[in-house]
Structure formats: structure tokens, C-alpha cells
Amino acid sequence: MSPRHHPAPDILAAYASGTLDPGFGLVVGAHVEGCPVCRKQSAAFEAVSGEALAALPEAALAPDALADAMARLDAAPPIHMPDRRPLLARLVLKPRKWVAPGVWCAAVDTPHAPDNRVYLLSVRAGMPTARHSHSGQEFCTVLKGAYRDELGTFAAGDFAATGGELEHQPVTLGDEDCVCLFATEGRLKAQGLIGRLAFALADV
Ligand SMILES: [Zn+2]
């Protein structure tokens, strides 16, 4: 089934032009890979930014610029082929930590984005998560299962972006564990002792 919740156009445009923080780009990429609508839209944004580049005035080249560039190419390390494996297969996960009964969290190693917190969170079917608010932006793509919160119902492939003002308590739906890929800016602020304990253990 095609996803029903997509990134807003400004998020998708930033993703296509490569200006999103890498951790946040990873979460948008997880959605885009499985969403024909956003793949098409993102390709259209890429084409537009390519045209914008082509429209830049030509600069006069220094006479030896080409020879210079060729020399640098010769000296450059071999070019690596792009990794064509699906995004999830390329994620480097840190050991998974159980943070509450039925809930585990595994940080995603993002060497290019040490300031982003990127992690997989799995919540057993029928378990509520801790009510919490955010101190910054959060992107989420559902990888498996489904959940419901104040913003609606989100199933596999769906994307959700929340800002600092939202306080919510997602609840899993159906009989499958719900696994989501998150990127968050700032720490989550859990309401209640259990939530605070879970987030402290998860270090998210
Ligand atoms: Zn989409």
C-alpha cells in the first residue's frame, strides 16, 4: 500500500537539494524509497536545481584551469561506486537497548551527523509509549506496523514531522510490533517517571 503521510514540499525540496541535516535526510530517504509520489516529486526538484545551476552565468576559465583539474583528478583517490543497497540495509546500528517492557531502541551510527540523534525504536503491539513533548524538530518514518497519535494514524511507509510544540503519546495499532526510524533535534522531554526513566535508559 502506498504511504498516505508525506513530507511537506519544503522538506522534500531540501532533501532533493541535499541541504537537510544528514540524519534527517536519512529519515526522509526511508520514506522516499518506498513512496512513488515523493520519488517523482524529489526527481522534479532535483531537475529544477540542476536547471538553476545551468542558468548561472559562465565564468571565464583561467587558461590552465583544465590542466589543473585533470592533474587533481589523477591525484584523487579512486571513485567509489554509489552503494545501491536499500537504505535500511545500509544503516549501521549500535547495540539494541531494551528501555521498557516490549520497547527497544537502537542508535543509528551517523558519522556525518554527530549532532543528530538518529535511532530505531520498536514498540510491541498494543503497548503505549510514554507521553512526551519535544524540544526541537523530529522526523519519523514508520518501517513496520502502525501507530496512532494526536496527528492521525501512521502505517508502514508513512512520514511524520513534528515540531517543538507537540506533546503526544503514540499508541501502537494492530498485532504487529511498530518499528520507526527517527531523527530528533534536542532531547525528548518525557512526562511522568516511567517515561523519563525509559528515555534516560535509551539515551535519546
Ligand atoms: Zn511520499
Side-chain angles (χ1 to χ4, degrees):
M1 201 174 75
S2 285
R4 286 181 306 147
H5 297 279
H6 308 272
D10 60 326
I11 294 176
L12 205 55
Y15 167 77
S17 64
T19 54
L20 277 182
D21 278 353
F24 284 80
L26 206 61
V27 178
V28 176
H31 168 83
V32 169
E33 258 191 8
C35 177
V37 177
C38 288
R39 271 209 305 277
K40 203 170 155 191
Q41 187 60 51
S42 150
F45 281 133
E46 276 171 36
V48 169
S49 53
E51 275 166 29
L53 271 183
L56 287 177
E58 273 182 45
L61 281 182
D64 51 358
L66 181 62
D68 218 49
M70 298 301 280
R72 267 183 285 128
L73 265 184
D74 285 339
I79 297 169
H80 293 286
M81 293 301 288
D83 192 337
R84 298 262 177 230
R85 284 176 300 158
L87 186 136
L88 289 180
R90 302 199 308 264
L91 291 183
V92 180
L93 296 174
K94 294 189 177 160
R96 134 178 119 153
K97 292 182 198 167
W98 290 92
V99 295
V103 183
W104 61 257
C105 179
V108 176
D109 204 9
T110 46
H112 303 299
D115 300 334
N116 295 161
R117 293 176 176 279
V118 187
Y119 56 96
L120 280 182
L121 182 73
S122 172
V123 180
R124 187 175 296 156
M127 292 276 298
T129 61
R131 170 163 286 279
H132 62 276
S133 56
H134 299 258
S135 57
Q137 207 172 34
E138 177 184 275
F139 283 8
C140 164
T141 292
V142 182
L143 304 178
K144 190 174 146 225
Y147 74 85
R148 186 188 63 226
D149 71 359
E150 286 77 350
L151 297 176
T153 296
F154 294 81
D158 280 336
F159 175 88
T162 50
E165 68 288 353
L166 180 76
E167 184 192 313
H168 66 160
Q169 181 172 26
V171 179
T172 57
L173 295 175
D175 47 17
E176 206 179 10
D177 293 358
C178 183
V179 183
C180 297
L181 178 65
F182 285 96
T184 61
E185 193 185 66
R187 297 219 158 214
L188 302 178
K189 289 175 283 187
Q191 323 288 308
L193 182 63
I194 301 290
R196 281 203 295 277
L197 194 64
F199 287 156
L201 285 169
D203 191 29
V204 295

